[in-house]
């Protein structure tokens, strides 16, 4: 059967790659979107020095997991004020900064965020009234948002999440500089690294998998399983930061074509209801999902075996890998009863991401041994 792989993002990778930013802008005016600590870390001043008058504004108060209550004011001010004169948005940070930039880059006819939320809630496709170019500069090795068109927007008040995904929300350029990740604390390093592992595995046990996405995914799994434990012991190791940055990029390239699957579908409720950080919420169920995936497809089993080794022992090895890093892998560890877990998995299978999973609803819920 024919397969197709598509990714339009130009990727620029390597230590010191941030210095190429002025050339990549090619004289265009830019707005910087970043996280609050970026100013304390000297990152904002560094970009201001690099870009000079090309930088026409800075938004540096992006919070984790962007919520509609926080995004509304940013969006409305952006499209009604002088910042809209920027031709390019430069997002520097983790997935939250890049997701915020993706929300900002597409204008509704009214220029109001409430209209964007209504369009996302309707599920209908739409064409933005205006768009901005996005250069994504990740400071974590895990999100993959720099090479995908998706942005997650949370509505905690309504206990909902929206996925923004348009042809216009692909970044134009992904600029990956591992040196920007050297200051990451252990918690964020771990969460982002496990998020990347989840992206890679989720793209394998996926109805949308193809040989190119498999190649990226298997390479990412091998690298993460080897490099992440070492990095957690040596957070200031530039070479290990580089390996994880490249592994996360490969994982992003994999799921940019498949989307995520059951583990991510489970994660959304775990984040909304139990407050788990995304990287933990999508990685702790991986062994359970692996158990459910094995035996569903000989072709997928072969790829999983390339990634994880002998499948009869793979779920247990994955449990040990995750738990050795300090992350528990059972629902009960997070205050979720067996009945609640059964219901959560059943509900997750009906979601858009759950439907990407190769497993069927007839396979009973079972946590890995």
């Amino acid at each position: 059967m024919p397969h197709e792989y598509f990714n339009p993002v130009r990727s620029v990778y390597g230590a010191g790659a941030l210095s190429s930013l002025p050339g990549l802008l090619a004289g265009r005016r830019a707005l910087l979107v970043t996280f609050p600590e970026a100013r304390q870390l000297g990152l904002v001043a560094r970009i201001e020095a690099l870009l000079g008058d090309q930088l026409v504004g800075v938004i540096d108060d992006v919070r984790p997991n962007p919520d509609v209550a926080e995004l509304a004011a940013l969006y409305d001010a952006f499209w009604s004020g002088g910042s809209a004169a920027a031709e390019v948005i430069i997002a520097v940070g983790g997935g939250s900064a890049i997701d915020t930039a993706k929300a900002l880059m597409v204008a509704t006819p009214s220029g109001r965020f409430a209209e964007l939320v209504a369009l996302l809630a309707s599920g209908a496709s739409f064409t933005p009234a205006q768009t901005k170019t996005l250069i994504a500069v990740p400071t974590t090795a895990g999100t993959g948002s720099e090479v995908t068109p998706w942005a997650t927007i949370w509505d905690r008040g309504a206990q909902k999440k929206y996925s923004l995904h348009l042809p216009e929300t692909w970044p134009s350029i992904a600029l990956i500089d591992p040196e920007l990740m050297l200051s990451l604390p252990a918690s964020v390093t771990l969460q982002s690294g496990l998020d990347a592992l989840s992206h890679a595995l989720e793209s394998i046990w996926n109805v949308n998998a193809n040989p190119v996405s498999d190649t990226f995914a298997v390479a990412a799994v091998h690298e993460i399983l080897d490099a992440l434990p070492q990095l957690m012991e040596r957070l200031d190791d530039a070479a290990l930061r580089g390996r994880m940055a490249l592994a996360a990029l490969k994982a992003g390239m994999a799921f940019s074509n498949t989307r995520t699957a059951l583990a991510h579908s489970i994660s959304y409720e775990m984040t909304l209801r139990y407050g788990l950080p995304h990287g933990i919420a999508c990685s702790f169920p991986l062994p359970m999902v692996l158990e459910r995936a094995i035996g569903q497809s000989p072709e997928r089993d072969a790829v999983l075996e390339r990634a994880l080794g002998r499948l009869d022992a793979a779920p247990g090895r994955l449990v040990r890998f995750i738990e050795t890093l300090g992350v528990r892998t059972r629902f009960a560890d997070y205050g979720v009863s067996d009945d609640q877990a059964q219901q959560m998995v059943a509900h997750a299978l009906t979601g858009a991401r759950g439907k990407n999973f190769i497993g069927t609803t007839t396979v009973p819920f079972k946590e890995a041994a």
Side-chain angles (χ1 to χ4, degrees), residues 38-54:
R39 202 170 280 279
Q40 301 166 228
L41 293 169
L43 194 49
V44 172
R46 186 176 170 191
I47 292 171
E48 288 173 337
L50 275 171
L51 299 184
D53 293 341
Q54 286 179 271

Side-chain angles (χ1 to χ4, degrees), residues 39-306:
R39 202 170 280 279
Q40 301 166 228
L41 293 169
L43 194 49
V44 172
R46 186 176 170 191
I47 292 171
E48 288 173 337
L50 275 171
L51 299 184
D53 293 341
Q54 286 179 271
L55 189 64
V56 298
V58 177
I59 295 174
D60 62 356
D61 55 354
V62 172
R63 302 294 170 180
N65 299 326
D67 187 86
V68 293
E70 301 154 1
L71 287 174
L74 282 179
Y75 186 96
D76 294 350
F78 176 77
W79 284 106
S80 65
S83 295
E87 300 156 276
V88 179
I89 299 175
I90 302 170
V92 177
S96 296
I98 299 173
D99 283 2
T100 296
K102 287 177 181 176
L104 291 176
M105 71 188 287
V106 290
T108 59
S110 66
R112 305 291 292 182
F113 187 70
E115 185 178 8
L116 179 61
V117 173
L119 288 166
L120 294 176
S122 74
S125 61
F126 64 96
T127 301
Q130 296 182 63
T131 62
K132 302 294 181 181
T133 298
L134 175 61
I135 297 177
V137 186
T139 58
T140 65
T143 175
S145 190
E146 68 275 10
V147 288
T148 73
W150 299 294
T152 299
I153 296 171
W154 302 87
D155 186 344
R156 292 181 186 83
Q159 288 286 286
K160 292 181 179 179
K161 64 157 282 283
Y162 303 106
S163 182
L164 173 63
H165 171 213
L166 299 170
E168 294 83 1
T169 50
W170 285 96
S172 175
I173 299 170
L175 196 161
I176 300 97
D177 186 341
E179 290 182 348
L180 301 181
M181 303 169 190
L182 284 168
S183 61
L184 279 182
S187 60
V188 180
T189 299
L190 177 62
Q191 291 163 21
S192 56
L194 289 175
D195 193 16
L197 178 63
S198 181
H199 292 152
L201 289 173
E202 293 258 273
S203 72
I204 297 174
W205 53 56
N206 200 299
V207 297
N208 303 305
N210 65 67
V212 179
S213 66
D214 286 344
T215 300
F216 282 123
V218 170
V221 171
H222 288 169
E223 193 72 357
I224 293 165
L225 293 181
D226 183 59
L228 183 56
Q230 295 183 63
L231 178 58
M232 295 308 298
E233 298 294 326
R234 303 195 299 277
L235 293 173
D236 60 350
D237 189 310
L240 288 171
R241 289 287 185 187
R243 288 176 62 187
M244 279 302 300
L246 191 54
L249 178 63
K250 291 175 183 177
M253 296 294 280
F255 92 97
S256 73
N257 274 244
T258 65
R259 307 190 185 193
T260 51
L262 179 56
H264 270 72
S265 192
I266 292 168
S267 79
Y268 302 136
E269 190 169 356
M270 291 299 294
T271 295
L272 280 169
R273 289 180 56 187
Y274 296 90
L276 277 190
H278 175 70
I280 305 302
C282 67
S283 60
F284 90 84
L286 289 177
M288 178 271 292
V289 178
L290 174 61
E291 288 261 28
R292 197 178 186 117
I294 292 171
Q296 295 293 323
S297 160
E299 179 194 34
R300 295 295 89 204
D301 279 356
V303 181
L304 284 168
E305 192 160 41
R306 281 166 47 201

